[in-house]
Amino acid sequence: MSKPLAWVGEELQSLKEAGLYNNIRTIGSPQGAWLQVDGQRVLNFCSNNYLGLANHPRLLQAAQKAMDEFGMGPAAVRSIAGTMDLHFELDRRIAAFKGVEAAVTFQSGFTANLGVIPALVGKEDVIFSDELNHASIIDGSRLSGASIVRYAHCDAGDLRMQLASERSKYRRALVITDGVFSMDGDVAPLADIYEETHSAEALLMVDDAHGEGVLGKGGRGIVDHFELHGKVDVEVGTFSKAFGVVGGVAAGDAKIVEWLRQRGRPFLFSSAMTAPDVGACIAAIDLLEESTKLVERLWTNTEFFKKELKTMGFDTAHSTTPITPVMLGDAKLAQDFSRELFEAGVFAMAIKFPTVARDKARIRVMISAAHSTDDLEQGLHAFSEVGRKLGVIQ
Ligand SMILES: *Cc1c(COP(=O)(O)O)cnc(C)c1O
C-alpha cells in the first residue's frame, strides 16, 4: 500500500483490535425466518423483513408483471424521462395508504432524507433534531447548511426549552425525529413533539422507516398510531423494511410534495426506482390494505419473545416495538455473544460503536411475522444457553 494510504491499514487494524470491525456475512437464500448464511442454515433475527414480504409470491409476480410491461431500468431521473405510469401510481397509493394529501417516491429512505431536508431549510434556518436520529437525517441536516440543535432523546420538554432559546434567532425551523428508533426500538412521543413544534411555529418531520407496516391501524405508521393526521408536515419512509422491497418516500401536504418534485435533489439528479421494484411496492400496499393479519402476527410474536427474554433476566431497555435490543454494554462481549449464537444456529447482529454509544453495545433481535412460534422458542433457547455461558444471566 502506498505511503499516503498507510493510515487506512492502521485504522482497519485498530477497528479489529477494538472489536469494532464489521464482518460482512453473505446470504445465499431469499429473506425469511431462516437464511443460508456463509453456507450455514440459521434462524434469522437480523432483517427488517417485519411482515415477511421480502420473498412474498404476490410481490414476485407483481415485479415480473411490471418488468414485462415496463422493462428493467428507468434509464433517467424522474424529472426527465424516468417517471413511468407506475411511479405515479405508487406515489398515489402510498399517499392514500398513509392518509396524506400526496407523496413522492425516492430511490431509498436514505436519499429521501437527503432530498427532503435541504429542500425545506437552508443557511438562515434551524433544525431541532433528536440526539439519536438516523444517520441519513444527520447527513441530510448537514447538507442543508441549517444550524443544528440537538435535543435530548425522546424528550419533548427539552425540545420546548431548545425551541424557546433558539427558535427566534432563525427564519424557518424544522423539528425532525425518527418515529421508531432503529437501534433501541422505542417510539418518539410524537403527540407531545407536535404540541411543542406547533406552538413554536416550526415544521414537523418524522422518519417512519421502522413504523410503516408496524405501528397504527394495519401498519399505517406512527402518524396513524398517534392520530395526528394532517398535523405532521412531512413523513419520510422506506419501502425496504416492512414493505419488503427497496425505495423511499416523502409524504404529507400536497404543496410540500410539489416542492420536492422541483427541489429534491435525489429526485432531480439520481435515477428513478426500477419498474419491478415499483410494481412490488404496489403489491405490498395491496396486501396491507387487504388484511391486517400479518401486522397482528408481528405483534403477537413480538410480545411473546420480549416477555420470555425478560423472564430469563435479559435487559431489553426501552423497546416497545419488534426491534428488541439485548443490552450487553461491552463491544467485545456483544461480538462474542453474536458469534456463539451463530454457532448455535441463530443469526443476530452485534450492534456497537459508532452505530450506538461505546458503552451501549448490544445484540439486536428483529422479530418478524415470518417467524413461527417454534422458531421463536428455538431462538429463546439459544439466548438462554449463550447468556449463561457468557455470564450475562444466571
Ligand atoms: C433504514 C432507515 C433509513 C434508510 O432507509 P433505506 O430505504 O434503507 O435507505 C432511513 N431512516 C431510518 C430511520 C431508517 O431506519
Side-chain angles (χ1 to χ4, degrees):
M1 195 183 282
S2 73
K3 213 158 174 206
L5 266 180
W7 65 271
V8 179
E10 289 156 19
E11 289 288 337
L12 287 168
Q13 189 53 35
S14 73
L15 287 180
K16 285 175 188 162
E17 281 160 15
L20 299 176
Y21 187 84
N22 270 331
N23 289 300
I24 306 204
R25 306 269 197 193
T26 49
I27 313 298
S29 64
Q31 287 292 330
W34 291 80
L35 292 177
Q36 194 79 23
V37 181
D38 294 339
Q40 192 179 328
R41 186 171 177 269
V42 288
L43 180 58
N44 178 18
F45 282 146
C46 285
S47 305
N48 304 313
N49 186 20
Y50 288 114
L51 303 175
L53 298 186
N55 188 37
H56 193 287
R58 286 269 298 273
L59 271 69
L60 305 188
Q61 281 160 21
Q64 186 61 56
K65 183 164 174 289
M67 251 191 306
D68 293 344
E69 201 171 333
F70 293 95
M72 187 67 218
V77 302
R78 286 204 50 184
S79 56
I80 296 182
T83 298
M84 295 159 166
D85 294 346
L86 267 189
H87 291 95
F88 269 143
E89 187 182 339
L90 178 58
D91 290 354
R92 278 194 301 272
R93 290 291 307 278
I94 189 69
F97 178 72
K98 284 180 156 285
V100 293
E101 285 179 11
V104 52
T105 51
F106 289 86
Q107 305 81 1
S108 72
F110 202 108
T111 61
N113 276 324
L114 298 192
V116 171
I117 302 168
L120 295 179
V121 286
K123 279 203 289 290
E124 298 157 79
D125 305 322
V126 59
I127 292 167
F128 296 87
S129 184
D130 185 291
E131 64 183 342
L132 294 188
N133 274 344
H134 190 261
S136 56
I137 296 176
I138 295 169
D139 289 5
S141 299
R142 287 179 180 152
L143 264 180
S144 75
S147 294
I148 299 166
V149 175
R150 302 201 317 167
Y151 64 89
H153 177 52
C154 283
D155 187 340
D158 189 47
L159 172 62
R160 181 193 318 138
M161 292 196 314
Q162 306 284 358
L163 282 163
S165 79
E166 299 300 318
R167 166 71 186 95
S168 63
K169 299 176 189 164
Y170 299 91
R171 182 183 59 171
R172 293 197 284 268
L174 173 64
V175 174
I176 312 178
T177 184
D178 269 27
V180 177
F181 287 82
S182 50
M183 295 301 144
D184 293 82
D186 52 345
V187 178
L190 199 62
D192 299 338
I193 290 173
Y194 166 73
E195 290 305 328
E196 302 308 335
T197 304
H198 184 66
S199 47
E201 296 187 7
L203 287 169
L204 177 55
M205 168 176 156
V206 64
D207 180 340
D208 203 21
H210 286 280
E212 296 150 340
V214 176
L215 296 177
K217 279 188 296 299
R220 279 166 177 74
I222 191 170
V223 172
D224 187 82
H225 173 80
F226 284 105
E227 298 185 350
L228 290 169
H229 294 284
K231 293 179 170 169
V232 174
D233 298 291
V234 57
E235 287 174 63
V236 163
T238 177
F239 292 108
S240 69
K241 290 176 176 144
F243 290 89
V245 194
V246 73
V249 60
D253 183 276
K255 277 278 176 274
I256 288 187
V257 169
E258 190 182 348
W259 179 242
L260 292 174
R261 289 201 177 103
Q262 305 302 316
R263 283 290 178 276
R265 288 171 68 86
F267 184 88
L268 301 168
F269 298 110
S270 181
S271 294
M273 289 171 73
T274 70
D277 287 331
V278 177
C281 288
I282 294 169
I285 298 170
D286 287 340
L287 283 170
L288 281 161
E289 288 183 344
E290 281 164 25
S291 164
T292 57
K293 231 174 56 207
L294 289 173
V295 179
E296 282 153 23
R297 174 82 209 176
L298 171 66
W299 281 99
T300 308
N301 282 353
T302 297
E303 275 147 29
F304 170 71
F305 194 83
K306 278 209 160 93
K307 183 166 72 61
E308 296 294 318
L309 267 186
K310 281 184 205 155
T311 306
M312 286 176 198
F314 286 107
D315 172 13
T316 59
H318 306 296
S319 169
T320 55
T321 64
I323 299 173
T324 308
V326 179
M327 304 306 289
L328 296 168
D330 180 59
K332 197 87 184 151
L333 174 61
Q335 197 142 347
D336 290 346
F337 204 111
S338 176
R339 188 175 337 102
E340 293 275 349
L341 283 174
F342 194 79
E343 277 162 24
V346 173
F347 186 34
M349 197 59 92
I351 310 271
K352 42 205 193 298
F353 184 81
T355 309
V356 295
R358 280 182 198 276
D359 60 345
K360 294 267 171 70
R362 65 199 65 180
I363 299 287
R364 185 179 68 157
V365 176
M366 302 299 287
I367 299 296
S368 168
H371 292 121
S372 68
T373 307
D374 237 31
D375 295 337
L376 297 176
E377 274 166 357
Q378 275 192 54
L380 287 163
H381 179 71
F383 264 88
S384 151
E385 297 282 305
V386 174
R388 270 192 307 229
K389 179 169 174 193
L390 297 182
V392 177
I393 54 168
Q394 304 275 298

mmCIF file of all heavy atoms in Angstrom, residues 108-110 113 134 136 178 182 207 209-210 238 240-241 247, ligand 1:
data_model
loop_
_atom_site.group_PDB
_atom_site.id
_atom_site.type_symbol
_atom_site.label_atom_id
_atom_site.label_comp_id
_atom_site.label_asym_id
_atom_site.label_seq_id
_atom_site.Cartn_x
_atom_site.Cartn_y
_atom_site.Cartn_z
ATOM 1 N N SER A 108 -34.455 5.501 -2.109
ATOM 2 C CA SER A 108 -34.293 4.842 -0.804
ATOM 3 C C SER A 108 -34.730 5.810 0.288
ATOM 4 O O SER A 108 -34.896 7.012 0.036
ATOM 5 C CB SER A 108 -32.831 4.438 -0.577
ATOM 6 O OG SER A 108 -32.041 5.584 -0.345
ATOM 7 N N GLY A 109 -34.882 5.291 1.485
ATOM 8 C CA GLY A 109 -35.177 6.165 2.621
ATOM 9 C C GLY A 109 -34.029 7.135 2.852
ATOM 10 O O GLY A 109 -34.237 8.300 3.212
ATOM 11 N N PHE A 110 -32.821 6.642 2.658
ATOM 12 C CA PHE A 110 -31.636 7.483 2.854
ATOM 13 C C PHE A 110 -31.673 8.686 1.904
ATOM 14 O O PHE A 110 -31.524 9.844 2.327
ATOM 15 C CB PHE A 110 -30.371 6.643 2.613
ATOM 16 C CG PHE A 110 -29.131 7.195 3.263
ATOM 17 C CD1 PHE A 110 -28.570 6.573 4.364
ATOM 18 C CD2 PHE A 110 -28.519 8.331 2.762
ATOM 19 C CE1 PHE A 110 -27.417 7.078 4.959
ATOM 20 C CE2 PHE A 110 -27.367 8.847 3.354
ATOM 21 C CZ PHE A 110 -26.824 8.220 4.460
ATOM 22 N N ASN A 113 -34.289 11.346 2.810
ATOM 23 C CA ASN A 113 -33.859 12.326 3.812
ATOM 24 C C ASN A 113 -32.876 13.345 3.228
ATOM 25 O O ASN A 113 -32.953 14.534 3.544
ATOM 26 C CB ASN A 113 -33.227 11.614 5.018
ATOM 27 C CG ASN A 113 -34.281 11.160 6.009
ATOM 28 O OD1 ASN A 113 -35.289 11.847 6.218
ATOM 29 N ND2 ASN A 113 -34.080 9.999 6.609
ATOM 30 N N HIS A 134 -31.477 8.932 12.965
ATOM 31 C CA HIS A 134 -30.772 8.087 11.997
ATOM 32 C C HIS A 134 -29.687 8.871 11.238
ATOM 33 O O HIS A 134 -29.832 10.072 10.983
ATOM 34 C CB HIS A 134 -31.797 7.535 11.005
ATOM 35 C CG HIS A 134 -31.264 6.476 10.096
ATOM 36 N ND1 HIS A 134 -30.856 6.747 8.817
ATOM 37 C CD2 HIS A 134 -31.081 5.148 10.284
ATOM 38 C CE1 HIS A 134 -30.450 5.621 8.244
ATOM 39 N NE2 HIS A 134 -30.581 4.640 9.108
ATOM 40 N N SER A 136 -29.018 9.102 8.188
ATOM 41 C CA SER A 136 -29.456 9.812 6.973
ATOM 42 C C SER A 136 -30.120 11.142 7.314
ATOM 43 O O SER A 136 -30.088 12.085 6.516
ATOM 44 C CB SER A 136 -30.396 8.935 6.144
ATOM 45 O OG SER A 136 -31.508 8.513 6.896
ATOM 46 N N ASP A 178 -36.928 10.545 14.363
ATOM 47 C CA ASP A 178 -37.271 9.184 13.958
ATOM 48 C C ASP A 178 -38.622 8.873 14.601
ATOM 49 O O ASP A 178 -38.922 9.373 15.688
ATOM 50 C CB ASP A 178 -36.259 8.191 14.553
ATOM 51 C CG ASP A 178 -35.061 7.906 13.660
ATOM 52 O OD1 ASP A 178 -34.696 8.773 12.855
ATOM 53 O OD2 ASP A 178 -34.486 6.814 13.810
ATOM 54 N N SER A 182 -34.179 3.020 15.478
ATOM 55 C CA SER A 182 -33.828 1.731 14.878
ATOM 56 C C SER A 182 -32.910 0.881 15.739
ATOM 57 O O SER A 182 -32.832 -0.321 15.533
ATOM 58 C CB SER A 182 -33.204 1.947 13.501
ATOM 59 O OG SER A 182 -32.179 2.915 13.566
ATOM 60 N N ASP A 207 -39.443 10.544 10.508
ATOM 61 C CA ASP A 207 -38.930 9.467 9.659
ATOM 62 C C ASP A 207 -39.517 8.165 10.188
ATOM 63 O O ASP A 207 -39.132 7.676 11.248
ATOM 64 C CB ASP A 207 -37.397 9.459 9.717
ATOM 65 C CG ASP A 207 -36.791 8.347 8.856
ATOM 66 O OD1 ASP A 207 -37.507 7.383 8.526
ATOM 67 O OD2 ASP A 207 -35.595 8.448 8.534
ATOM 68 N N ALA A 209 -39.444 5.060 9.018
ATOM 69 C CA ALA A 209 -38.892 3.864 8.365
ATOM 70 C C ALA A 209 -39.250 2.565 9.104
ATOM 71 O O ALA A 209 -39.554 1.556 8.474
ATOM 72 C CB ALA A 209 -37.377 3.997 8.230
ATOM 73 N N HIS A 210 -39.203 2.605 10.456
ATOM 74 C CA HIS A 210 -39.493 1.383 11.226
ATOM 75 C C HIS A 210 -40.914 1.378 11.779
ATOM 76 O O HIS A 210 -41.258 0.515 12.586
ATOM 77 C CB HIS A 210 -38.494 1.224 12.368
ATOM 78 C CG HIS A 210 -37.135 0.788 11.926
ATOM 79 N ND1 HIS A 210 -36.830 -0.517 11.638
ATOM 80 C CD2 HIS A 210 -36.001 1.491 11.690
ATOM 81 C CE1 HIS A 210 -35.558 -0.610 11.279
ATOM 82 N NE2 HIS A 210 -35.042 0.605 11.306
ATOM 83 N N THR A 238 -39.663 4.327 4.033
ATOM 84 C CA THR A 238 -38.878 3.439 3.173
ATOM 85 C C THR A 238 -39.732 2.261 2.721
ATOM 86 O O THR A 238 -40.633 1.842 3.445
ATOM 87 C CB THR A 238 -37.629 2.920 3.914
ATOM 88 O OG1 THR A 238 -36.943 2.019 3.051
ATOM 89 C CG2 THR A 238 -37.976 2.183 5.192
ATOM 90 N N SER A 240 -38.022 -0.460 2.021
ATOM 91 C CA SER A 240 -37.036 -1.534 2.178
ATOM 92 C C SER A 240 -37.232 -2.338 3.459
ATOM 93 O O SER A 240 -36.555 -3.336 3.657
ATOM 94 C CB SER A 240 -35.626 -0.946 2.158
ATOM 95 O OG SER A 240 -35.415 -0.177 3.330
ATOM 96 N N LYS A 241 -38.127 -1.904 4.327
ATOM 97 C CA LYS A 241 -38.291 -2.637 5.596
ATOM 98 C C LYS A 241 -39.583 -3.462 5.553
ATOM 99 O O LYS A 241 -39.633 -4.460 4.861
ATOM 100 C CB LYS A 241 -38.186 -1.654 6.746
ATOM 101 C CG LYS A 241 -36.727 -1.190 6.823
ATOM 102 C CD LYS A 241 -36.399 -0.160 7.825
ATOM 103 C CE LYS A 241 -34.893 0.071 7.795
ATOM 104 N NZ LYS A 241 -34.505 1.451 8.010
ATOM 105 N N GLY A 247 -36.624 1.387 -1.787
ATOM 106 C CA GLY A 247 -37.193 2.661 -2.232
ATOM 107 C C GLY A 247 -37.521 3.528 -1.039
ATOM 108 O O GLY A 247 -37.561 3.051 0.097
HETATM 109 C C1 LIG B 1 -33.415 2.250 7.455
HETATM 110 C C2 LIG B 1 -33.640 3.673 7.696
HETATM 111 C C3 LIG B 1 -33.450 4.612 6.690
HETATM 112 C C4 LIG B 1 -32.883 4.237 5.356
HETATM 113 O O1 LIG B 1 -33.814 3.594 4.571
HETATM 114 P P1 LIG B 1 -33.304 2.866 3.233
HETATM 115 O O2 LIG B 1 -34.532 2.780 2.414
HETATM 116 O O3 LIG B 1 -32.750 1.559 3.629
HETATM 117 O O4 LIG B 1 -32.282 3.769 2.625
HETATM 118 C C5 LIG B 1 -33.750 5.928 6.957
HETATM 119 N N1 LIG B 1 -34.205 6.306 8.161
HETATM 120 C C6 LIG B 1 -34.382 5.434 9.165
HETATM 121 C C7 LIG B 1 -34.902 5.907 10.466
HETATM 122 C C8 LIG B 1 -34.096 4.081 8.964
HETATM 123 O O5 LIG B 1 -34.255 3.225 9.961
#
